[in-house]
Amino acid sequence: MVRQRIPVILAVLLLVGAVTAQAQTALTTINGSPLKINVGADGSFQVYNTAVPGVGQIFPTNATLADMGVFAWIDGILYAPNFGGHGGTATANLGTYTAWKPLQLTQTPLGLGTVESPYVVSTTLGAGETDVRVNVTVTYVRGNNFFRVRKHVYSTTNSLHDVDVHFGADIYLASSDNGVFLSVPELAAVGGRTCDGVTTPYNILLIPVTNASRYTTAHYSEVWSQIKANNLDNNTEPTSCVDNGAAIQWNNIMSGGSTSVAVDTAVSFGAIPSAANFHGFFIDVEPDTLEMVPGESRTLTITSKANAELEFNSAIAFAAANLPPGMSIAFHQDTIPAPGNGTITATLSVGNEIFPQTYQNIGIFGSGGNETRGAFLRVSIACTPPFILGTKQPQTTTVPRGTRATLRVQPEAAGLYTYQWYQGFAPLVGNPIANSNSATFVTPPVNEIQQYWARVSNPCGTVDSLTATVIPTF
């Protein structure tokens, strides 16, 4: 289906009682690379990508502000950008809505476009005559093919409201208005991809950095209908090539008595970005691969780094998960204070009873700022029964009468072993020697010929040494 831009007068007729014709909405432009982003004073956007010169990536492609923006159902009323003030729109299926009241718009982008100082543009929206405000903050770092949108919803009088928030778009896939529905589970993202036959697929994704309640990827008109119904259908199934859009929904964000809540979104164009870009903080554990033996303990170093671009500022609390029987992790300090940057240590211990094998996905999880992030360990438990070579056996020896002899046993492989020495001939265990539990044994004073041997054990087996004879001399 080929659409035409709908003139302002026709758009107004389609949205009877919703929006009145006005001068075109004010905007501020982030002149980034590869993305150029127009931020409307009414919570709407248009985006250009240097990979597709001169074409807006949101329909209508030749409109400076297009059919993408912030929506909210507040106490039963739908608030939306003033699409009728854009000089063209295809949002008739929204039906009747109340346009946001523009209250404030950053005139010139702040920042330098770097990770440490991203470009920032913000606009404040009023919800009719209510005390509800939505501060929409857009951030962009040069070189990224995505930008971020934070929607901070708050009550100026600390009153409680029933608020559901949507972010939706009528996407235009590079140089085509048609695409296949696309979902990316690792990002929980929805959007569209260019149709089959394209050598290098082009993607547009709406990415819920804050966990969303619902989502949809659908024909563009159906997206508006679902926002109008305040009930996205959770569809992510691909279809044949259609004129598509996408939306994300956060339900009842002011539940629990909160009067100030923020939800974050990102929008990407082209290659699918890494999920790590949208985390408020990152967890790293060193070492992440260990080879251990039963009874051993190792120290782990756990580092948390807050994402400055997201302005993350929260304490991080740590816990371990997926531990097999016989393995434990003790945190020496279980919290890193806000803003979430720091290092702690923990001790990983494996007991003698642990089953020897390789354990995958042992988790170290950090939680803070409504996010949980994890790092994973791979621990290989090696365990072979003790083995004693001839030269490592206790050796027959002579000592002057009335003096002591020192006997030693040494298993061939490194590991953690238990020892028990006996008097007499191996393997007779009738005369265990108290407190003789190491690889080295010092005999009592020798006044007559004596025999001694050792039993060496680990969780995988036991081996008996040869018998050593101690002979006194005059």
Side-chain angles (χ1 to χ4, degrees):
M1 174 181 177
V2 178
R3 292 170 293 168
Q4 303 293 325
R5 293 181 65 198
I6 300 177
V8 172
I9 294 176
L10 179 56
V12 173
L13 292 174
L14 290 170
L15 303 173
V16 176
V19 195
T20 58
Q22 301 175 8
Q24 290 203 357
T25 304
L27 62 86
T28 296
T29 300
I30 296 175
N31 282 303
S33 175
L35 301 185
K36 170 184 171 182
I37 307 156
N38 288 348
V39 182
D42 64 346
S44 63
F45 304 88
Q46 176 62 286
V47 183
Y48 305 88
N49 186 348
T50 56
V52 192
V55 178
Q57 296 303 284
I58 306 299
F59 187 88
T61 60
N62 58 347
T64 56
L65 289 173
D67 293 348
M68 178 169 75
V70 177
F71 307 78
W73 278 90
I74 303 174
D75 298 331
I77 298 174
L78 174 61
Y79 295 86
N82 180 17
F83 293 114
H86 293 178
T89 186
T91 55
N93 281 37
L94 279 174
T96 301
Y97 66 85
T98 299
W100 292 115
K101 182 186 297 183
L103 299 178
Q104 188 174 5
L105 173 67
T106 304
Q107 298 299 306
T108 302
L110 306 176
L112 303 174
T114 64
V115 172
E116 296 77 14
S117 177
Y119 293 128
V120 179
V121 171
S122 64
T123 182
T124 301
L125 311 174
E129 301 305 315
T130 74
D131 63 338
V132 177
R133 302 289 183 268
V134 181
N135 182 256
V136 180
T137 302
V138 178
T139 58
Y140 178 66
V141 173
R142 281 184 174 273
N144 287 344
N145 72 328
F146 59 87
F147 67 96
R148 308 174 190 273
V149 184
R150 165 162 285 197
K151 299 161 286 295
H152 178 206
V153 183
Y154 61 97
S155 164
T156 59
T157 62
N158 292 323
S159 300
L160 296 177
H161 295 271
D162 182 9
V163 180
D164 298 333
V165 173
H166 297 257
F167 189 86
D170 180 352
I171 58 182
Y172 190 84
L173 290 156
S175 57
S176 173
D177 204 9
N178 290 333
V180 177
F181 300 164
L182 174 65
S183 68
V184 180
E186 61 266 31
L187 293 170
V190 291
R193 168 172 286 180
T194 43
C195 300
D196 293 341
V198 177
T199 302
T200 304
Y202 187 84
N203 314 287
I204 295 179
L205 288 170
L206 309 187
I207 303 167
V209 179
T210 300
N211 292 338
S213 304
R214 304 186 69 81
Y215 41 80
T216 190
T217 177
H219 188 276
Y220 80 93
S221 61
E222 179 64 17
V223 169
W224 307 133
S225 295
Q226 291 181 36
I227 291 176
K228 178 62 179 177
N230 195 23
N231 187 30
L232 303 187
D233 65 6
N234 285 339
N235 178 66
T236 60
E237 293 299 319
T239 66
S240 57
C241 212
V242 298
D243 188 348
N244 64 338
I248 309 169
Q249 178 177 350
W250 296 265
N251 286 343
N252 197 18
I253 65 170
M254 287 188 170
S255 63
S258 175
T259 59
S260 178
V261 181
V263 292
D264 293 320
T265 311
V267 190
S268 68
F269 299 82
I272 297 173
S274 167
N277 291 300
F278 310 108
H279 296 169
F281 63 97
F282 308 93
I283 299 296
D284 181 66
V285 177
E286 291 290 341
D288 60 3
T289 301
L290 301 97
E291 294 183 359
M292 302 177 68
V293 296
E296 187 179 5
S297 295
R298 296 281 293 276
T299 297
L300 304 175
T301 300
I302 304 161
T303 302
S304 173
K305 183 177 181 182
N307 191 333
E309 188 180 350
L310 290 183
E311 299 181 354
F312 184 86
N313 185 10
S314 175
I316 308 297
F318 291 91
N322 305 329
L323 296 174
M327 184 179 296
S328 64
I329 294 178
F331 294 94
H332 304 165
Q333 174 186 335
D334 61 6
T335 303
I336 290 176
N341 293 315
T343 298
I344 63 172
T345 57
T347 298
L348 186 152
S349 301
V350 292
N352 288 329
E353 73 281 9
I354 194 166
F355 186 80
Q357 67 175 47
T358 296
Y359 295 92
Q360 308 274 10
N361 298 324
I362 296 167
I364 302 290
F365 290 94
S367 298
N370 297 320
E371 292 188 48
T372 297
R373 297 288 170 249
F376 296 91
L377 307 175
R378 180 178 182 272
V379 181
S380 296
I381 306 300
C383 191
T384 57
F387 177 74
I388 308 170
L389 291 176
T391 57
K392 306 293 179 66
Q393 298 280 355
Q395 300 297 309
T396 293
T397 187
T398 59
V399 295
R401 183 184 297 273
T403 63
R404 302 172 186 270
T406 299
L407 303 178
R408 295 180 177 83
V409 64
Q410 183 178 339
E412 180 61 20
L416 298 176
Y417 300 97
T418 60
Y419 300 87
Q420 176 60 56
W421 289 84
Y422 297 87
Q423 185 176 7
F425 292 92
L428 301 177
V429 294
N431 295 303
I433 301 170
N435 302 317
S436 59
N437 306 120
S438 68
T440 301
F441 168 60
V442 179
T443 69
V446 178
N447 292 300
E448 58 183 340
I449 296 175
Q450 299 284 350
Q451 287 77 33
Y452 299 96
W453 63 278
R455 175 164 287 178
V456 184
S457 303
N458 70 9
C460 293
T462 296
V463 65
D464 294 340
S465 76
L466 299 178
T467 301
T469 299
V470 181
I471 304 170
T473 61
F474 292 94

